[in-house]
Amino acid sequence: MFTHKTPRVAAARRLTTRSGRSKAGRFLAEGAQAVGEALASAHRVQELFVTPVAAQRHGTLVRRARDRGITVSAVTERAGELLSETVTPQGLVAVCDSVDVPLPAALAGQAHLVAVLVGVTDPGNAGTVVRTADAAGADAVVFLGDSVDVHNGKSVRASAGSVFHVPIARAERLDDVLAACRSAGLTTVAADGKAHQDLVGYQRSARLGRPTAWLFGSEAHGLDGHTVAAADEAVRVPIYGGAESLNLASAATVCLYSSAMARRQEGRSD
Amino acid sequence: MFTHKTPRVAAARRLTTRSGRSKAGRFLAEGAQAVGEALASAHRVQELFVTPVAAQRHGTLVRRARDRGITVSAVTERAGELLSETVTPQGLVAVCDSVDVPLPAALAGQAHLVAVLVGVTDPGNAGTVVRTADAAGADAVVFLGDSVDVHNGKSVRASAGSVFHVPIARAERLDDVLAACRSAGLTTVAADGKAHQDLVGYQRSARLGRPTAWLFGSEAHGLDGHTVAAADEAVRVPIYGGAESLNLASAATVCLYSSAMARRQEGRSD
């Protein structure tokens, strides 16, 4: 049985840091849900570490991994803990190839709905947006500039497996993203709490259901003025009560679902 | 200066537990945002504890408290830490009277939109739903049965001050809540992932903008069959992509905002 000192386990542990993930081009998916979604997806799983307790509990998953020709290694409870990024280690950790693809690949085909995260730093929020984007049928999620790494353990967990469903791209420059979205036929829309028009007005003008790339800013500051000005449109989520704002994940949920539902409502096929 | 052994500080510390809050009918609001919203609301603030560092940083808030005749007590950093329920203590903690009101009071007046949490156990999720409900202009949030205590530190923080804006009621029996909502002219709608009709179909039939009480189930299991059957309608949030579901707060966000926006879209005044 592998311990935390076994070189392959030690190498996997380095994937709990951003620089380790970046160097290896790999990340960790922990727990039955994430591992199950990784195995069910087309993404490459390199290796599966499993503690004796988890092997008993998740026999089907372990067999499925073996059937796919993936190396399954038994590890000690201590190694399982050290490979874990959660408070309650699951004892089941897969080493996966990074899921992100180049921007043009993420936008290939007929894109209808894209979420662009501009400087989003909270990994849980980022993962939740990926999950919501997936549920809303988004074609891609783009992580721009200094946004958090989607392969962070907290992001992967909050995404509830959606990092393996929806194409994810990383991009450095806003202009590149806006240009790529426009070439793909998408209107770029900044979600901005200070925008003049709100979602209801935007919906009335029958523009909400159009192919759209939504831009979302950071939890603390939203989008900066330059980004808002560079987008084709700026729209705010209306606040009807006493709250100052919505949290980022909630605002993104309203925007992405409003677009997805308006498209079906309007019976659009573009 | 008060230490953590000073009886008033020790009494306040008991408010970090549910039984302590329940006995005293009070809870703690921590940090500049929560304290500011408490002071700006009609809710009664009994006392404010502040560390020397926080007193310097939040001079305006401290003066506003004193102007309202609230006792402001300087406490040691150690006492500030022990009164805190966060990883990074804010040094500013208000003792507030509980915010919940009887169900009939919460539904008094012309209610258009209500959120009912049925067995929601995660305090962060509950607080996020209160914030979203507030932003969507909801008239009340009802915590049913064994749902988490909204006065939990994590709920208060996640609500970002909204526990002080939107009327909150606690109720023990589902039947009482359904009856009270119906008397208030609200259609009761179960948010149920297995429902036959989805939000888009429901919107098409022009029922989404009607006065509505949304019922939301727990993070893990959703609503039970009995609750779904007892509600007037059951509607599911459509899942267009590969995600299995939305998290509770996201699902509630889609439902509450869809209703709020549909009402404005349809120009309803009921």
Side-chain angles (χ1 to χ4, degrees):
Chain A
M1 188 163 352
F2 287 179
T3 73
H4 62 283
K5 290 182 180 157
T6 306
R8 261 163 54 204
V9 176
R13 272 192 71 190
R14 285 195 282 274
L15 303 179
T16 58
T17 67
R18 185 167 188 164
S19 67
R21 289 190 295 271
S22 175
K23 245 180 245 170
R26 295 179 181 174
F27 72 109
L28 301 177
E30 183 185 4
Q33 182 177 39
V35 171
E37 299 286 355
L39 291 174
S41 78
H43 292 283
R44 176 133 186 206
V45 178
Q46 295 281 353
E47 180 161 26
L48 183 65
F49 294 111
V50 60
T51 63
V53 173
Q56 281 216 321
R57 189 174 302 155
H58 305 294
T60 314
L61 272 182
V62 171
R63 270 192 304 278
R64 201 183 307 159
R66 286 216 176 89
D67 289 349
R68 280 192 49 182
I70 294 160
T71 307
V72 178
S73 305
V75 297
T76 60
E77 292 296 328
R78 177 80 184 123
E81 281 166 26
L82 288 169
L83 286 170
S84 172
E85 295 172 82
T86 60
V87 182
T88 48
Q90 310 286 303
L92 188 73
V93 179
V95 176
C96 307
D97 281 4
S98 296
V99 292
D100 51 345
V101 297
L103 187 57
L107 297 179
Q110 181 96 358
H112 299 287
L113 186 61
V114 169
V116 182
L117 303 190
V118 184
V120 170
T121 53
D122 181 88
N125 272 342
T128 302
V129 173
V130 171
R131 180 177 178 180
T132 302
D134 180 21
D139 303 281
V141 179
V142 181
F143 283 69
L144 184 68
D146 56 358
S147 285
V148 69
D149 177 17
V150 71
H151 303 101
N152 178 302
K154 281 184 187 158
S155 296
V156 174
R157 190 163 65 258
S159 88
S162 288
V163 291
F164 296 107
H165 302 153
V166 61
I168 291 172
R170 187 143 204 117
E172 288 312 312
R173 296 185 56 244
L174 174 68
D175 292 349
D176 295 344
V177 174
L178 294 177
C181 287
R182 286 175 186 137
S183 317
L186 298 158
T187 302
T188 58
V189 184
D192 174 29
K194 296 184 288 293
H196 182 68
Q197 64 185 336
D198 76 9
L199 265 178
V200 174
Y202 195 61
Q203 181 165 22
R204 267 205 201 100
S205 64
R207 288 174 292 167
L208 188 54
R210 291 187 305 192
T212 299
W214 278 102
L215 274 60
F216 304 112
S218 75
E219 298 79 11
H221 308 292
L223 291 170
D224 64 277
H226 168 74
T227 306
V228 173
D232 300 324
E233 307 261 9
V235 175
R236 89 186 130 74
V237 176
I239 303 285
Y240 298 118
E244 211 174 277
S245 64
L246 286 169
N247 76 26
L248 164 70
S250 301
T253 299
V254 175
C255 295
L256 294 170
Y257 256 92
S258 293
S259 281
M261 287 171 55
R263 179 162 164 253
R264 274 78 181 182
Q265 195 81 14
E266 295 166 10
R268 299 177 80 106
S269 60
D270 55 5
Chain B
M1 187 164 351
F2 287 179
T3 74
H4 61 283
K5 289 182 180 159
T6 306
R8 262 163 52 203
V9 175
R13 272 192 71 193
R14 285 195 284 276
L15 303 179
T16 59
T17 68
R18 185 166 187 165
S19 67
R21 290 190 294 272
S22 176
K23 246 181 244 168
R26 295 178 181 173
F27 72 108
L28 301 177
E30 183 184 4
Q33 183 178 39
V35 171
E37 298 286 354
L39 291 174
S41 78
H43 292 282
R44 178 134 186 206
V45 178
Q46 295 281 354
E47 182 161 22
L48 184 64
F49 295 111
V50 60
T51 63
V53 173
Q56 281 213 322
R57 189 174 304 156
H58 306 295
T60 315
L61 272 183
V62 171
R63 271 193 302 281
R64 200 185 306 160
R66 287 217 175 88
D67 289 348
R68 280 192 49 183
I70 294 160
T71 307
V72 178
S73 305
V75 297
T76 60
E77 291 297 328
R78 178 77 184 127
E81 280 166 25
L82 288 168
L83 285 170
S84 172
E85 294 171 80
T86 59
V87 181
T88 47
Q90 309 286 303
L92 187 73
V93 179
V95 176
C96 307
D97 281 4
S98 297
V99 292
D100 52 345
V101 297
L103 187 56
L107 298 178
Q110 181 96 357
H112 300 285
L113 186 60
V114 169
V116 182
L117 302 189
V118 184
V120 170
T121 53
D122 180 90
N125 273 342
T128 302
V129 174
V130 170
R131 179 176 178 181
T132 302
D134 180 21
D139 303 280
V141 179
V142 182
F143 283 69
L144 185 68
D146 56 357
S147 286
V148 69
D149 177 17
V150 71
H151 304 100
N152 178 301
K154 281 183 187 156
S155 295
V156 173
R157 191 165 63 258
S159 88
S162 288
V163 291
F164 296 108
H165 300 153
V166 61
I168 291 171
R170 187 143 203 116
E172 288 313 314
R173 297 182 55 243
L174 174 68
D175 292 350
D176 295 346
V177 174
L178 294 177
C181 287
R182 286 172 186 141
S183 315
L186 298 157
T187 302
T188 57
V189 184
D192 174 29
K194 296 183 289 294
H196 182 68
Q197 65 186 334
D198 77 8
L199 265 178
V200 173
Y202 196 62
Q203 181 165 21
R204 266 204 202 104
S205 63
R207 289 174 291 166
L208 187 55
R210 292 187 304 191
T212 299
W214 278 102
L215 275 59
F216 303 112
S218 76
E219 297 78 11
H221 307 293
L223 290 170
D224 64 277
H226 168 73
T227 305
V228 173
D232 299 325
E233 307 262 9
V235 175
R236 91 187 129 74
V237 175
I239 303 286
Y240 298 118
E244 211 174 278
S245 65
L246 288 168
N247 78 25
L248 164 70
S250 301
T253 299
V254 175
C255 294
L256 293 170
Y257 255 92
S258 294
S259 281
M261 286 171 55
R263 179 162 164 253
R264 273 79 179 181
Q265 196 80 13
E266 296 165 9
R268 298 179 80 106
S269 59
D270 55 4

PDB file of all heavy atoms in Angstrom, chain B residues 137-166:
ATOM      1  N   GLY B 137     -37.159  41.385  -3.833  1.00  0.00           N
ATOM      2  CA  GLY B 137     -38.322  42.117  -3.326  1.00  0.00           C
ATOM      3  C   GLY B 137     -39.335  41.243  -2.613  1.00  0.00           C
ATOM      4  O   GLY B 137     -40.516  41.598  -2.520  1.00  0.00           O
ATOM      5  N   ALA B 138     -38.886  40.093  -2.089  1.00  0.00           N
ATOM      6  CA  ALA B 138     -39.821  39.208  -1.381  1.00  0.00           C
ATOM      7  C   ALA B 138     -40.375  39.899  -0.142  1.00  0.00           C
ATOM      8  O   ALA B 138     -39.706  40.733   0.472  1.00  0.00           O
ATOM      9  CB  ALA B 138     -39.120  37.906  -0.997  1.00  0.00           C
ATOM     10  N   ASP B 139     -41.609  39.540   0.202  1.00  0.00           N
ATOM     11  CA  ASP B 139     -42.257  40.137   1.360  1.00  0.00           C
ATOM     12  C   ASP B 139     -41.903  39.417   2.646  1.00  0.00           C
ATOM     13  O   ASP B 139     -42.035  39.988   3.732  1.00  0.00           O
ATOM     14  CB  ASP B 139     -43.778  40.116   1.156  1.00  0.00           C
ATOM     15  CG  ASP B 139     -44.160  40.844  -0.113  1.00  0.00           C
ATOM     16  OD1 ASP B 139     -44.205  42.084  -0.081  1.00  0.00           O
ATOM     17  OD2 ASP B 139     -44.363  40.174  -1.145  1.00  0.00           O
ATOM     18  N   ALA B 140     -41.474  38.162   2.556  1.00  0.00           N
ATOM     19  CA  ALA B 140     -41.152  37.393   3.759  1.00  0.00           C
ATOM     20  C   ALA B 140     -40.367  36.141   3.385  1.00  0.00           C
ATOM     21  O   ALA B 140     -40.457  35.641   2.258  1.00  0.00           O
ATOM     22  CB  ALA B 140     -42.424  36.998   4.498  1.00  0.00           C
ATOM     23  N   VAL B 141     -39.602  35.654   4.362  1.00  0.00           N
ATOM     24  CA  VAL B 141     -38.968  34.336   4.268  1.00  0.00           C
ATOM     25  C   VAL B 141     -39.424  33.538   5.484  1.00  0.00           C
ATOM     26  O   VAL B 141     -39.350  34.031   6.614  1.00  0.00           O
ATOM     27  CB  VAL B 141     -37.432  34.434   4.242  1.00  0.00           C
ATOM     28  CG1 VAL B 141     -36.798  33.042   4.165  1.00  0.00           C
ATOM     29  CG2 VAL B 141     -36.959  35.285   3.064  1.00  0.00           C
ATOM     30  N   VAL B 142     -39.924  32.326   5.235  1.00  0.00           N
ATOM     31  CA  VAL B 142     -40.420  31.477   6.322  1.00  0.00           C
ATOM     32  C   VAL B 142     -39.486  30.290   6.504  1.00  0.00           C
ATOM     33  O   VAL B 142     -39.150  29.605   5.532  1.00  0.00           O
ATOM     34  CB  VAL B 142     -41.854  30.976   6.014  1.00  0.00           C
ATOM     35  CG1 VAL B 142     -42.380  30.122   7.173  1.00  0.00           C
ATOM     36  CG2 VAL B 142     -42.783  32.150   5.743  1.00  0.00           C
ATOM     37  N   PHE B 143     -39.032  30.060   7.736  1.00  0.00           N
ATOM     38  CA  PHE B 143     -38.194  28.909   8.071  1.00  0.00           C
ATOM     39  C   PHE B 143     -39.081  27.858   8.713  1.00  0.00           C
ATOM     40  O   PHE B 143     -39.593  28.050   9.808  1.00  0.00           O
ATOM     41  CB  PHE B 143     -37.070  29.318   9.031  1.00  0.00           C
ATOM     42  CG  PHE B 143     -35.954  30.047   8.365  1.00  0.00           C
ATOM     43  CD1 PHE B 143     -36.137  31.331   7.862  1.00  0.00           C
ATOM     44  CD2 PHE B 143     -34.702  29.449   8.220  1.00  0.00           C
ATOM     45  CE1 PHE B 143     -35.102  32.009   7.229  1.00  0.00           C
ATOM     46  CE2 PHE B 143     -33.658  30.125   7.603  1.00  0.00           C
ATOM     47  CZ  PHE B 143     -33.866  31.396   7.102  1.00  0.00           C
ATOM     48  N   LEU B 144     -39.253  26.740   8.022  1.00  0.00           N
ATOM     49  CA  LEU B 144     -40.190  25.717   8.485  1.00  0.00           C
ATOM     50  C   LEU B 144     -39.471  24.585   9.203  1.00  0.00           C
ATOM     51  O   LEU B 144     -38.397  24.132   8.785  1.00  0.00           O
ATOM     52  CB  LEU B 144     -40.963  25.162   7.285  1.00  0.00           C
ATOM     53  CG  LEU B 144     -42.065  24.155   7.603  1.00  0.00           C
ATOM     54  CD1 LEU B 144     -43.221  24.819   8.344  1.00  0.00           C
ATOM     55  CD2 LEU B 144     -42.584  23.511   6.322  1.00  0.00           C
ATOM     56  N   GLY B 145     -40.132  24.081  10.266  1.00  0.00           N
ATOM     57  CA  GLY B 145     -39.714  22.857  10.954  1.00  0.00           C
ATOM     58  C   GLY B 145     -38.280  22.878  11.411  1.00  0.00           C
ATOM     59  O   GLY B 145     -37.852  23.778  12.133  1.00  0.00           O
ATOM     60  N   ASP B 146     -37.516  21.867  10.978  1.00  0.00           N
ATOM     61  CA  ASP B 146     -36.145  21.738  11.488  1.00  0.00           C
ATOM     62  C   ASP B 146     -35.125  22.492  10.633  1.00  0.00           C
ATOM     63  O   ASP B 146     -33.945  22.153  10.627  1.00  0.00           O
ATOM     64  CB  ASP B 146     -35.765  20.262  11.618  1.00  0.00           C
ATOM     65  CG  ASP B 146     -35.944  19.522  10.301  1.00  0.00           C
ATOM     66  OD1 ASP B 146     -36.410  20.155   9.328  1.00  0.00           O
ATOM     67  OD2 ASP B 146     -35.620  18.323  10.237  1.00  0.00           O
ATOM     68  N   SER B 147     -35.578  23.515   9.932  1.00  0.00           N
ATOM     69  CA  SER B 147     -34.617  24.350   9.203  1.00  0.00           C
ATOM     70  C   SER B 147     -33.671  25.015  10.191  1.00  0.00           C
ATOM     71  O   SER B 147     -33.981  25.185  11.359  1.00  0.00           O
ATOM     72  CB  SER B 147     -35.347  25.431   8.394  1.00  0.00           C
ATOM     73  OG  SER B 147     -35.960  24.868   7.266  1.00  0.00           O
ATOM     74  N   VAL B 148     -32.509  25.395   9.681  1.00  0.00           N
ATOM     75  CA  VAL B 148     -31.489  26.055  10.475  1.00  0.00           C
ATOM     76  C   VAL B 148     -32.035  27.346  11.093  1.00  0.00           C
ATOM     77  O   VAL B 148     -33.009  27.921  10.588  1.00  0.00           O
ATOM     78  CB  VAL B 148     -30.274  26.350   9.552  1.00  0.00           C
ATOM     79  CG1 VAL B 148     -30.618  27.422   8.530  1.00  0.00           C
ATOM     80  CG2 VAL B 148     -29.050  26.725  10.328  1.00  0.00           C
ATOM     81  N   ASP B 149     -31.420  27.794  12.186  1.00  0.00           N
ATOM     82  CA  ASP B 149     -31.787  29.062  12.823  1.00  0.00           C
ATOM     83  C   ASP B 149     -31.182  30.210  12.014  1.00  0.00           C
ATOM     84  O   ASP B 149     -29.979  30.270  11.802  1.00  0.00           O
ATOM     85  CB  ASP B 149     -31.232  29.073  14.257  1.00  0.00           C
ATOM     86  CG  ASP B 149     -31.508  30.383  14.979  1.00  0.00           C
ATOM     87  OD1 ASP B 149     -32.386  31.150  14.523  1.00  0.00           O
ATOM     88  OD2 ASP B 149     -30.843  30.639  16.004  1.00  0.00           O
ATOM     89  N   VAL B 150     -32.035  31.122  11.559  1.00  0.00           N
ATOM     90  CA  VAL B 150     -31.556  32.237  10.731  1.00  0.00           C
ATOM     91  C   VAL B 150     -30.602  33.142  11.509  1.00  0.00           C
ATOM     92  O   VAL B 150     -29.835  33.898  10.913  1.00  0.00           O
ATOM     93  CB  VAL B 150     -32.754  33.043  10.165  1.00  0.00           C
ATOM     94  CG1 VAL B 150     -33.441  33.829  11.276  1.00  0.00           C
ATOM     95  CG2 VAL B 150     -32.312  33.986   9.057  1.00  0.00           C
ATOM     96  N   HIS B 151     -30.621  33.058  12.840  1.00  0.00           N
ATOM     97  CA  HIS B 151     -29.742  33.898  13.666  1.00  0.00           C
ATOM     98  C   HIS B 151     -28.347  33.306  13.853  1.00  0.00           C
ATOM     99  O   HIS B 151     -27.512  33.895  14.532  1.00  0.00           O
ATOM    100  CB  HIS B 151     -30.388  34.131  15.035  1.00  0.00           C
ATOM    101  CG  HIS B 151     -31.756  34.734  14.958  1.00  0.00           C
ATOM    102  ND1 HIS B 151     -32.901  33.988  15.092  1.00  0.00           N
ATOM    103  CD2 HIS B 151     -32.148  36.006  14.721  1.00  0.00           C
ATOM    104  CE1 HIS B 151     -33.954  34.786  14.968  1.00  0.00           C
ATOM    105  NE2 HIS B 151     -33.526  36.012  14.738  1.00  0.00           N
ATOM    106  N   ASN B 152     -28.127  32.138  13.268  1.00  0.00           N
ATOM    107  CA  ASN B 152     -26.790  31.530  13.238  1.00  0.00           C
ATOM    108  C   ASN B 152     -25.804  32.519  12.612  1.00  0.00           C
ATOM    109  O   ASN B 152     -26.131  33.199  11.631  1.00  0.00           O
ATOM    110  CB  ASN B 152     -26.909  30.251  12.388  1.00  0.00           C
ATOM    111  CG  ASN B 152     -25.596  29.525  12.213  1.00  0.00           C
ATOM    112  OD1 ASN B 152     -24.633  30.075  11.697  1.00  0.00           O
ATOM    113  ND2 ASN B 152     -25.550  28.279  12.647  1.00  0.00           N
ATOM    114  N   GLY B 153     -24.604  32.602  13.153  1.00  0.00           N
ATOM    115  CA  GLY B 153     -23.614  33.564  12.670  1.00  0.00           C
ATOM    116  C   GLY B 153     -23.346  33.457  11.174  1.00  0.00           C
ATOM    117  O   GLY B 153     -23.205  34.464  10.488  1.00  0.00           O
ATOM    118  N   LYS B 154     -23.289  32.224  10.676  1.00  0.00           N
ATOM    119  CA  LYS B 154     -23.022  32.025   9.252  1.00  0.00           C
ATOM    120  C   LYS B 154     -24.185  32.499   8.383  1.00  0.00           C
ATOM    121  O   LYS B 154     -23.988  33.015   7.282  1.00  0.00           O
ATOM    122  CB  LYS B 154     -22.750  30.545   8.965  1.00  0.00           C
ATOM    123  CG  LYS B 154     -21.348  30.126   9.344  1.00  0.00           C
ATOM    124  CD  LYS B 154     -21.087  28.675   8.974  1.00  0.00           C
ATOM    125  CE  LYS B 154     -19.745  28.221   9.526  1.00  0.00           C
ATOM    126  NZ  LYS B 154     -19.672  26.772   9.708  1.00  0.00           N
ATOM    127  N   SER B 155     -25.411  32.305   8.864  1.00  0.00           N
ATOM    128  CA  SER B 155     -26.585  32.771   8.114  1.00  0.00           C
ATOM    129  C   SER B 155     -26.604  34.295   8.064  1.00  0.00           C
ATOM    130  O   SER B 155     -26.834  34.891   7.008  1.00  0.00           O
ATOM    131  CB  SER B 155     -27.875  32.284   8.768  1.00  0.00           C
ATOM    132  OG  SER B 155     -27.975  30.889   8.719  1.00  0.00           O
ATOM    133  N   VAL B 156     -26.377  34.900   9.229  1.00  0.00           N
ATOM    134  CA  VAL B 156     -26.400  36.362   9.310  1.00  0.00           C
ATOM    135  C   VAL B 156     -25.364  36.946   8.351  1.00  0.00           C
ATOM    136  O   VAL B 156     -25.642  37.878   7.605  1.00  0.00           O
ATOM    137  CB  VAL B 156     -26.136  36.839  10.764  1.00  0.00           C
ATOM    138  CG1 VAL B 156     -25.992  38.349  10.817  1.00  0.00           C
ATOM    139  CG2 VAL B 156     -27.258  36.367  11.686  1.00  0.00           C
ATOM    140  N   ARG B 157     -24.166  36.333   8.343  1.00  0.00           N
ATOM    141  CA  ARG B 157     -23.103  36.840   7.475  1.00  0.00           C
ATOM    142  C   ARG B 157     -23.450  36.661   5.995  1.00  0.00           C
ATOM    143  O   ARG B 157     -23.313  37.580   5.199  1.00  0.00           O
ATOM    144  CB  ARG B 157     -21.784  36.157   7.800  1.00  0.00           C
ATOM    145  CG  ARG B 157     -20.605  36.800   7.129  1.00  0.00           C
ATOM    146  CD  ARG B 157     -19.267  36.375   7.718  1.00  0.00           C
ATOM    147  NE  ARG B 157     -18.980  34.970   7.571  1.00  0.00           N
ATOM    148  CZ  ARG B 157     -19.105  34.047   8.522  1.00  0.00           C
ATOM    149  NH1 ARG B 157     -19.524  34.382   9.722  1.00  0.00           N
ATOM    150  NH2 ARG B 157     -18.822  32.787   8.301  1.00  0.00           N
ATOM    151  N   ALA B 158     -23.934  35.452   5.637  1.00  0.00           N
ATOM    152  CA  ALA B 158     -24.267  35.191   4.229  1.00  0.00           C
ATOM    153  C   ALA B 158     -25.413  36.087   3.759  1.00  0.00           C
ATOM    154  O   ALA B 158     -25.528  36.378   2.572  1.00  0.00           O
ATOM    155  CB  ALA B 158     -24.619  33.720   4.032  1.00  0.00           C
ATOM    156  N   SER B 159     -26.261  36.509   4.679  1.00  0.00           N
ATOM    157  CA  SER B 159     -27.400  37.355   4.270  1.00  0.00           C
ATOM    158  C   SER B 159     -26.945  38.773   3.938  1.00  0.00           C
ATOM    159  O   SER B 159     -27.724  39.540   3.361  1.00  0.00           O
ATOM    160  CB  SER B 159     -28.463  37.393   5.371  1.00  0.00           C
ATOM    161  OG  SER B 159     -28.197  38.432   6.302  1.00  0.00           O
ATOM    162  N   ALA B 160     -25.718  39.132   4.316  1.00  0.00           N
ATOM    163  CA  ALA B 160     -25.172  40.466   4.021  1.00  0.00           C
ATOM    164  C   ALA B 160     -26.102  41.586   4.479  1.00  0.00           C
ATOM    165  O   ALA B 160     -26.316  42.568   3.764  1.00  0.00           O
ATOM    166  CB  ALA B 160     -24.859  40.601   2.520  1.00  0.00           C
ATOM    167  N   GLY B 161     -26.696  41.405   5.649  1.00  0.00           N
ATOM    168  CA  GLY B 161     -27.559  42.442   6.218  1.00  0.00           C
ATOM    169  C   GLY B 161     -29.038  42.244   5.933  1.00  0.00           C
ATOM    170  O   GLY B 161     -29.898  42.896   6.534  1.00  0.00           O
ATOM    171  N   SER B 162     -29.375  41.327   5.013  1.00  0.00           N
ATOM    172  CA  SER B 162     -30.772  41.168   4.613  1.00  0.00           C
ATOM    173  C   SER B 162     -31.659  40.597   5.717  1.00  0.00           C
ATOM    174  O   SER B 162     -32.880  40.754   5.665  1.00  0.00           O
ATOM    175  CB  SER B 162     -30.875  40.307   3.347  1.00  0.00           C
ATOM    176  OG  SER B 162     -30.412  41.043   2.221  1.00  0.00           O
ATOM    177  N   VAL B 163     -31.084  39.930   6.735  1.00  0.00           N
ATOM    178  CA  VAL B 163     -31.935  39.488   7.855  1.00  0.00           C
ATOM    179  C   VAL B 163     -32.596  40.685   8.542  1.00  0.00           C
ATOM    180  O   VAL B 163     -33.606  40.528   9.222  1.00  0.00           O
ATOM    181  CB  VAL B 163     -31.160  38.658   8.926  1.00  0.00           C
ATOM    182  CG1 VAL B 163     -30.751  37.309   8.367  1.00  0.00           C
ATOM    183  CG2 VAL B 163     -29.980  39.416   9.482  1.00  0.00           C
ATOM    184  N   PHE B 164     -32.016  41.874   8.357  1.00  0.00           N
ATOM    185  CA  PHE B 164     -32.606  43.071   8.970  1.00  0.00           C
ATOM    186  C   PHE B 164     -33.591  43.779   8.037  1.00  0.00           C
ATOM    187  O   PHE B 164     -34.213  44.762   8.412  1.00  0.00           O
ATOM    188  CB  PHE B 164     -31.498  44.049   9.392  1.00  0.00           C
ATOM    189  CG  PHE B 164     -30.594  43.506  10.460  1.00  0.00           C
ATOM    190  CD1 PHE B 164     -29.296  43.132  10.169  1.00  0.00           C
ATOM    191  CD2 PHE B 164     -31.059  43.343  11.760  1.00  0.00           C
ATOM    192  CE1 PHE B 164     -28.468  42.618  11.156  1.00  0.00           C
ATOM    193  CE2 PHE B 164     -30.238  42.831  12.755  1.00  0.00           C
ATOM    194  CZ  PHE B 164     -28.935  42.465  12.448  1.00  0.00           C
ATOM    195  N   HIS B 165     -33.698  43.314   6.794  1.00  0.00           N
ATOM    196  CA  HIS B 165     -34.582  43.985   5.826  1.00  0.00           C
ATOM    197  C   HIS B 165     -35.894  43.249   5.622  1.00  0.00           C
ATOM    198  O   HIS B 165     -36.950  43.859   5.557  1.00  0.00           O
ATOM    199  CB  HIS B 165     -33.912  44.063   4.441  1.00  0.00           C
ATOM    200  CG  HIS B 165     -32.625  44.803   4.424  1.00  0.00           C
ATOM    201  ND1 HIS B 165     -31.640  44.550   3.507  1.00  0.00           N
ATOM    202  CD2 HIS B 165     -32.150  45.798   5.213  1.00  0.00           C
ATOM    203  CE1 HIS B 165     -30.612  45.351   3.734  1.00  0.00           C
ATOM    204  NE2 HIS B 165     -30.894  46.106   4.760  1.00  0.00           N
ATOM    205  N   VAL B 166     -35.802  41.936   5.412  1.00  0.00           N
ATOM    206  CA  VAL B 166     -36.979  41.192   4.971  1.00  0.00           C
ATOM    207  C   VAL B 166     -37.600  40.485   6.181  1.00  0.00           C
ATOM    208  O   VAL B 166     -36.883  39.907   7.002  1.00  0.00           O
ATOM    209  CB  VAL B 166     -36.588  40.209   3.832  1.00  0.00           C
ATOM    210  CG1 VAL B 166     -35.562  39.186   4.277  1.00  0.00           C
ATOM    211  CG2 VAL B 166     -37.796  39.511   3.237  1.00  0.00           C
TER     212      VAL B 166
END
